[in-house]
Amino acid sequence: MPKEIRITPIKNGTVIDHLNAGSSYKILEVLNLRENSITVAINAESRKMGKKDIIFIQERELNEKELAKIALIGKGATVNIIANGEIKNKTILGYPEKVEEIIKCINPKCVTNNETLKTKFYITAEPLEAKCFYCETRMNEEEIAASIKK
Ligand SMILES: [Zn+2]
């Protein structure tokens, strides 16, 4: 039986750990990491979660926008910055209070879908909801995940 995967496969870069099992597909879809060397563990054994996904990204740190995208898909994920094979920094992702230019509004009549305006949403938790700053349309977890910009 495979043992729990430890954070060691990369020397420098970022490890996104404790992702809900299966959520790594969506995360890789919305992050632009085509240039990076990536290792993904899907349905890895986890004592805490039963099963989890882990994404190992070589030689790359993530910016605020990328972290917000990950948080909206996988709240509670852990982001570890690895330098010289050691964890330099560890953050547990919570929901951002507001996000700009990250989600597309589902209301086709929204001004952001008809003019070149940056989208802006307020985020509330439990249950996860995003409210459009412009048209006040509310989006649930599923709608948010489907509307995250690539
Ligand atoms: Zn809107």
Side-chain angles (χ1 to χ4, degrees):
M1 285 295 284
K3 285 262 182 339
E4 188 166 342
I5 292 179
R6 297 273 165 210
I7 297 167
T8 46
I10 62 169
K11 204 161 176 241
N12 293 293
T14 304
V15 178
I16 313 166
D17 197 1
H18 301 110
L19 288 166
N20 292 327
S23 64
S24 57
Y25 298 100
K26 184 76 201 172
I27 288 172
L28 291 172
E29 194 188 313
V30 298
L31 296 181
N32 186 5
L33 298 170
R34 282 175 195 88
E35 306 286 310
N36 298 87
S37 167
I38 296 168
T39 307
V40 184
I42 292 164
N43 293 329
E45 303 268 322
S46 164
R47 245 170 268 135
K48 258 190 269 175
M49 305 171 69
K51 281 183 179 310
K52 64 175 180 180
D53 287 4
I54 316 169
I55 302 175
F56 303 87
I57 310 161
Q58 301 250 32
E59 308 291 336
R60 170 88 139 71
E61 290 190 16
L62 299 169
N63 62 37
E64 212 177 304
K65 208 166 169 177
E66 291 169 323
L67 291 173
K69 288 181 179 181
I70 299 167
L72 288 173
I73 297 165
K75 190 200 172 201
T78 320
V79 175
N80 304 276
I81 308 297
I82 313 292
N84 284 318
E86 291 189 8
I87 299 173
K88 196 176 85 182
N89 188 305
K90 186 173 183 161
T91 319
I92 298 171
L93 290 180
Y95 292 134
E97 275 175 33
K98 63 171 190 189
V99 291
E100 287 182 52
E101 269 310 88
I102 286 182
I103 320 171
K104 194 181 174 312
C105 189
I106 48 164
N107 172 9
K109 289 185 179 152
C110 180
V111 65
T112 60
N113 287 322
N114 296 289
E115 284 174 36
T116 43
L117 253 182
K118 284 189 175 178
T119 68
K120 188 163 151 186
F121 286 85
Y122 294 114
I123 307 296
T124 49
E126 338 247 338
L128 173 62
E129 208 173 61
K131 189 174 101 179
C132 178
F133 171 79
Y134 296 97
C135 72
E136 299 198 332
T137 294
R138 289 167 189 272
M139 292 162 62
N140 64 25
E141 192 167 356
E142 227 169 273
E143 291 165 331
I144 292 168
S147 306
I148 293 178
K149 297 185 180 199
K150 286 176 192 165

